[in-house]
Amino acid sequence: MSDLDRLLARSAPPSAPEGRALVAALGALVDETRAAASPRRRRLRSPWAVAGLVVGATALVGGAAYGAVTLTDASDAWMDLTAQAETTATRFEWQTTLPDGTRCVERLTGLELTAEQTAIVEAALADPQQLLDLDAGAVRDDFLSHYDASEAQQEIADRETWESWIDAGYGAVAAIDVKAGRGDLTEDMLDVIPGSAQNEVFLQSSMRVVLDGITAQGVDAMAHLTPETACEAGE
């Protein structure tokens, strides 16, 4: 059993109405993006989902660059880097909007990136159409193949609905404006991701397109970049 599987197994029971079916379906998305490396978290409101729902399992210094994490802690929006790692961090951010209208910040963090690697990532994010062209629907096909093979996913929503969540993720990639960055979303406005199957499919699919596109352009995103999302706090 992998570290990721152990963390998922230790998670608290789901509070979302989809229950176990949601856990199984989102687990399939984790499988879709997992590499043989240390897991990273995406932060959600529901603590049961925290550890495993990561867009890409990365290999940043074997995990040593990140400080200790309390899995159910939702007091801040981002993972904490160690002081030493912080000195070598390069961050790329842009704003996205969940299907329900919640505004979020997408972040990629690289450690000890070379100037060439940084330039490649910046250029890739500055040309979202190229990311979409390189993908050519591959992520969409992968996610739908998981849907077709999983009864758990079918219990959450019909195929057309699931497909619409993925297509919304593609739309989010087309709208990336890395030059504008996070816009007016200041740090004190950000919180964890509202947990739902719709949000996770949307965010997982959009970030997979981004990571795969960066990799295709010369920087192994799974090895060098950690993706995170933080969203505007609700009332």
Side-chain angles (χ1 to χ4, degrees), residues 2 30 36 63 65-66 73-74 76 85 88 98 105 116 151 211-212 216 219:
S2 69
V30 173
Y66 287 89
D73 178 25
D76 58 358
T88 71
L98 299 180
V105 174
E116 180 182 7
E151 292 182 3
L211 295 176
D212 288 357
V219 174

Side-chain angles (χ1 to χ4, degrees), residues 128-137:
Q129 186 56 53
Q130 175 72 352
L131 295 172
L132 294 169
D133 290 345
L134 288 168
D135 173 80

Side-chain angles (χ1 to χ4, degrees), residues 163-189:
E163 191 170 0
S164 73
W165 298 343
I166 299 169
D167 289 343
Y170 273 81
V173 174
I176 288 175
D177 187 351
V178 72
K179 185 175 181 180
R182 65 165 61 186
D184 62 345
L185 288 176
T186 59
E187 198 68 15
D188 60 0
M189 296 170 63

Side-chain angles (χ1 to χ4, degrees), residues 183-199:
D184 62 345
L185 288 176
T186 59
E187 198 68 15
D188 60 0
M189 296 170 63
L190 296 175
D191 201 346
V192 292
I193 304 167
S196 73
Q198 180 185 36
N199 288 347

